[in-house]
PDB file of all heavy atoms in Angstrom:
ATOM      1  N   ALA K 207     -20.687  10.307  16.668  1.00  0.00           N
ATOM      2  CA  ALA K 207     -20.376  10.555  18.080  1.00  0.00           C
ATOM      3  C   ALA K 207     -20.699  12.001  18.461  1.00  0.00           C
ATOM      4  O   ALA K 207     -21.239  12.270  19.544  1.00  0.00           O
ATOM      5  CB  ALA K 207     -18.908  10.239  18.366  1.00  0.00           C
ATOM      6  N   ARG K 208     -20.388  12.947  17.551  1.00  0.00           N
ATOM      7  CA  ARG K 208     -20.706  14.356  17.825  1.00  0.00           C
ATOM      8  C   ARG K 208     -22.207  14.564  17.899  1.00  0.00           C
ATOM      9  O   ARG K 208     -22.705  15.282  18.779  1.00  0.00           O
ATOM     10  CB  ARG K 208     -20.122  15.247  16.716  1.00  0.00           C
ATOM     11  CG  ARG K 208     -20.540  16.717  16.839  1.00  0.00           C
ATOM     12  CD  ARG K 208     -20.258  17.506  15.587  1.00  0.00           C
ATOM     13  NE  ARG K 208     -20.994  17.041  14.427  1.00  0.00           N
ATOM     14  CZ  ARG K 208     -22.262  17.335  14.177  1.00  0.00           C
ATOM     15  NH1 ARG K 208     -22.970  18.067  15.037  1.00  0.00           N
ATOM     16  NH2 ARG K 208     -22.849  16.891  13.079  1.00  0.00           N
ATOM     17  N   VAL K 209     -22.948  13.945  16.973  1.00  0.00           N
ATOM     18  CA  VAL K 209     -24.404  14.090  16.960  1.00  0.00           C
ATOM     19  C   VAL K 209     -24.999  13.590  18.282  1.00  0.00           C
ATOM     20  O   VAL K 209     -25.860  14.251  18.881  1.00  0.00           O
ATOM     21  CB  VAL K 209     -25.009  13.324  15.771  1.00  0.00           C
ATOM     22  CG1 VAL K 209     -26.534  13.323  15.845  1.00  0.00           C
ATOM     23  CG2 VAL K 209     -24.556  13.939  14.449  1.00  0.00           C
ATOM     24  N   LEU K 210     -24.532  12.455  18.753  1.00  0.00           N
ATOM     25  CA  LEU K 210     -25.060  11.891  19.998  1.00  0.00           C
ATOM     26  C   LEU K 210     -24.714  12.784  21.186  1.00  0.00           C
ATOM     27  O   LEU K 210     -25.531  12.966  22.096  1.00  0.00           O
ATOM     28  CB  LEU K 210     -24.512  10.477  20.209  1.00  0.00           C
ATOM     29  CG  LEU K 210     -24.926   9.447  19.137  1.00  0.00           C
ATOM     30  CD1 LEU K 210     -24.268   8.105  19.416  1.00  0.00           C
ATOM     31  CD2 LEU K 210     -26.438   9.305  19.072  1.00  0.00           C
ATOM     32  N   ASP K 211     -23.516  13.352  21.196  1.00  0.00           N
ATOM     33  CA  ASP K 211     -23.131  14.264  22.282  1.00  0.00           C
ATOM     34  C   ASP K 211     -24.007  15.509  22.283  1.00  0.00           C
ATOM     35  O   ASP K 211     -24.507  15.944  23.331  1.00  0.00           O
ATOM     36  CB  ASP K 211     -21.661  14.671  22.139  1.00  0.00           C
ATOM     37  CG  ASP K 211     -20.700  13.568  22.553  1.00  0.00           C
ATOM     38  OD1 ASP K 211     -21.151  12.610  23.223  1.00  0.00           O
ATOM     39  OD2 ASP K 211     -19.512  13.655  22.187  1.00  0.00           O
ATOM     40  N   GLU K 212     -24.217  16.102  21.103  1.00  0.00           N
ATOM     41  CA  GLU K 212     -24.997  17.334  21.016  1.00  0.00           C
ATOM     42  C   GLU K 212     -26.476  17.089  21.306  1.00  0.00           C
ATOM     43  O   GLU K 212     -27.198  18.013  21.696  1.00  0.00           O
ATOM     44  CB  GLU K 212     -24.829  17.971  19.642  1.00  0.00           C
ATOM     45  CG  GLU K 212     -23.437  18.529  19.408  1.00  0.00           C
ATOM     46  CD  GLU K 212     -23.343  19.345  18.142  1.00  0.00           C
ATOM     47  OE1 GLU K 212     -24.403  19.702  17.586  1.00  0.00           O
ATOM     48  OE2 GLU K 212     -22.217  19.630  17.717  1.00  0.00           O
ATOM     49  N   ALA K 213     -26.914  15.853  21.136  1.00  0.00           N
ATOM     50  CA  ALA K 213     -28.323  15.542  21.405  1.00  0.00           C
ATOM     51  C   ALA K 213     -28.655  15.650  22.888  1.00  0.00           C
ATOM     52  O   ALA K 213     -29.836  15.750  23.261  1.00  0.00           O
ATOM     53  CB  ALA K 213     -28.659  14.146  20.902  1.00  0.00           C
ATOM     54  N   ASP K 214     -27.641  15.647  23.743  1.00  0.00           N
ATOM     55  CA  ASP K 214     -27.862  15.739  25.192  1.00  0.00           C
ATOM     56  C   ASP K 214     -28.013  17.173  25.696  1.00  0.00           C
ATOM     57  O   ASP K 214     -28.288  17.388  26.875  1.00  0.00           O
ATOM     58  CB  ASP K 214     -26.701  15.068  25.940  1.00  0.00           C
ATOM     59  CG  ASP K 214     -26.753  13.555  25.836  1.00  0.00           C
ATOM     60  OD1 ASP K 214     -27.851  13.020  25.634  1.00  0.00           O
ATOM     61  OD2 ASP K 214     -25.693  12.917  25.948  1.00  0.00           O
ATOM     62  N   VAL K 215     -27.824  18.162  24.823  1.00  0.00           N
ATOM     63  CA  VAL K 215     -27.966  19.563  25.227  1.00  0.00           C
ATOM     64  C   VAL K 215     -29.429  19.856  25.560  1.00  0.00           C
ATOM     65  O   VAL K 215     -30.342  19.384  24.870  1.00  0.00           O
ATOM     66  CB  VAL K 215     -27.467  20.494  24.095  1.00  0.00           C
ATOM     67  CG1 VAL K 215     -27.765  21.953  24.420  1.00  0.00           C
ATOM     68  CG2 VAL K 215     -25.983  20.279  23.854  1.00  0.00           C
ATOM     69  N   ASP K 216     -29.664  20.637  26.615  1.00  0.00           N
ATOM     70  CA  ASP K 216     -31.034  20.994  26.994  1.00  0.00           C
ATOM     71  C   ASP K 216     -31.626  22.004  26.000  1.00  0.00           C
ATOM     72  O   ASP K 216     -30.987  23.004  25.664  1.00  0.00           O
ATOM     73  CB  ASP K 216     -31.060  21.611  28.397  1.00  0.00           C
ATOM     74  CG  ASP K 216     -30.833  20.567  29.480  1.00  0.00           C
ATOM     75  OD1 ASP K 216     -31.157  19.390  29.232  1.00  0.00           O
ATOM     76  OD2 ASP K 216     -30.324  20.924  30.553  1.00  0.00           O
TER      77      ASP K 216
END
Side-chain angles (χ1 to χ4, degrees):
R208 174 194 63 80
V209 173
L210 297 177
D211 285 344
E212 291 189 14
D214 287 335
V215 173
D216 287 333

